[in-house]
């Protein structure tokens, strides 16, 4: 019976880890997209006004 509790704990820990990684990855993707937009706007500004 002790093994069932261990497997339930491992399953819950795995789900929590998955959600944390998903949130961090989502934040990283948003940061990369924002950085790409800033670079693109800077290039457009430089090519247009310089």
């Amino acid at each position: 019976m002790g093994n069932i509790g261990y497997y339930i704990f491992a399953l819950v820990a795995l789900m929590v880890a998955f959600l944390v990684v998903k949130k961090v990855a989502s934040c990283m993707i948003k940061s990369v997209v924002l950085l790409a937009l800033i670079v693109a706007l800077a290039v457009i500004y430089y090519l247009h006004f310089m």
Side-chain angles (χ1 to χ4, degrees), residues 21-39:
V21 168
K22 185 177 172 185
K23 291 286 184 188
V24 170
S26 174
C27 183
M28 293 280 287
I29 290 169
K30 287 178 186 174
S31 298
V32 169
V33 169
L34 182 63
L35 185 62
L37 284 172
I38 290 171
V39 170

Side-chain angles (χ1 to χ4, degrees), residues 12 14 36-37:
V12 170
L14 188 63
L37 284 172

